[in-house]
Amino acid sequence: MRKLSGRTANFTDSVIRRMTRISNQYGAVNLSQGFPDFGPPEEITHRLAEIALDGPHQYSVTWGADNFRAALAAKQSGLMGFEIDPESEVVVTCGSTEAMMASMMAVVDPGDEVIVFSPFYENYGADAILSGAVPVYVPLRPPSFGFDADELEAAFKRRPKALILCNPSNPSGKVFTRDELKIIADLAVKYDAYVITDEVYEHIIYEPYEHTYIASLPGMFERTLSCGSLSKTYSMTGWRLGYVIASPEITDVTRKIHDFLTVGAPAPLQEAAVAGLTLGGDYYVSLRQLYTKKRGLLLKGLDAIGIRHTEPQGAYYVLLDISDFKYGSDLEFCEELARKVGVGAVPGSSFFREDINDFIRLHFAKKEETLADALERLERGWKKM
Ligand SMILES: Cc1ncc(COP(=O)(O)O)c(C=O)c1O
């Protein structure tokens, strides 16, 4: 047989999804893969029940059903602070995962360089490989996960085609300040690069931090592909609904790529999700309160056990410091943690470009009783690791 494609020769399977399998194997409380153990608002699920009988059940418009795009554009225009035209500036995709992939393919040609901050969400590595981009990594250094502006400019001097920005960040929990975004924006304009954002955690932010959309900064709309998703905002990661918001020139290309990749996001689910997109502002306030409470519960519990950890400003991940332990690798530590203590975590090294083995990542998109169970297990077993 001839060899399969060389494109994926360097792919490993997703470490995050592997840790879910290991957690299941040992009956561990799975705080590895970041999805909630609770469902979407009932306005959405009730609407889905109606749609099961009434439809739609066939393809929607390739770049998204009219009413979904209209509702999304209205919601995001309010948040982003400029008018988004649902007819020409929105592409509805199968999650932010497809939004990011389609955006990369819209922007880069094979061999083009793309700046990626490290630590980074693991999909960006695969996105780069699949689109033929060459990643240039710029470190976000713990514990503050700030970047060095000169180091960033040095990367821009290589004339990359784009920068990938995850804000709020997975796994660091960093929320980029307006000043930091201004530095990135000025460099993007100066060196004529695009910015591809992943803003799936735009609504999951802890006081006093606020989310700034880089597309809203001067000169940025025309060079930004703002990717987002309903997965985290409405606790519906399995629905696979996401989007790209960008200028008509960019969406024109992104829509074609999206069409050939997936034809469209699921039509019945788009229809039901309109009930979420049109919820009032109170919903997002409650969502913040919900996650603020979960974050408080987990961090307080970790402090009580004496585990050093990051303080996330946004998103729902915390990095635990394991540098005192003597394991061969953080992957080995995570396997032992699942087996001996019964808690599933992700090795931090799967997010860092640098050789850093000092962290493991837990997420807290779980019911309070699930988090309490995980904390009890950590209390009993952490020090024996
Ligand atoms: C930063 C980031 N982007 C994208 C995704 C996936 O989003 P979606 O479900 O919309 O594909 C995740 C999921 O954990 C994530 O953490």
Side-chain angles (χ1 to χ4, degrees), residues 42 107 132 177 193 220 315:
E42 57 182 31
V107 167
T177 63
M220 286 309 288

Side-chain angles (χ1 to χ4, degrees), residues 113 115 136 138 149-161 187-188 190-193:
E113 293 193 346
I115 299 178
V136 176
V138 172
D150 293 335
E151 220 166 350
L152 185 62
E153 177 145 20
F156 269 104
K157 282 187 177 152
R158 300 170 60 96
R159 307 295 301 194
K161 198 73 179 285
L187 290 170
K190 181 171 172 188
Y191 293 97
D192 193 15

Side-chain angles (χ1 to χ4, degrees), residues 94-132:
C94 296
S96 177
T97 303
E98 190 212 334
M100 293 292 292
M101 189 68 238
S103 295
M104 286 280 279
M105 294 185 84
V107 167
V108 304
D109 282 317
D112 284 341
E113 293 193 346
V114 169
I115 299 178
V116 179
F117 286 112
S118 167
F120 60 96
Y121 174 57
E122 62 170 3
N123 276 31
Y124 307 154
D127 290 346
I129 292 173
L130 289 174
S131 60

Side-chain angles (χ1 to χ4, degrees), residues 43-58 65 67-68 239 241 266-276:
E43 286 86 343
I44 302 179
T45 49
H46 289 172
R47 185 73 189 110
L48 182 61
E50 291 169 2
I51 288 162
L53 297 176
D54 301 342
H57 293 296
Q58 311 308 331
N67 57 347
F68 185 97
W239 287 43
L241 294 175
L269 302 186
Q270 288 185 58
E271 185 68 36
V274 171

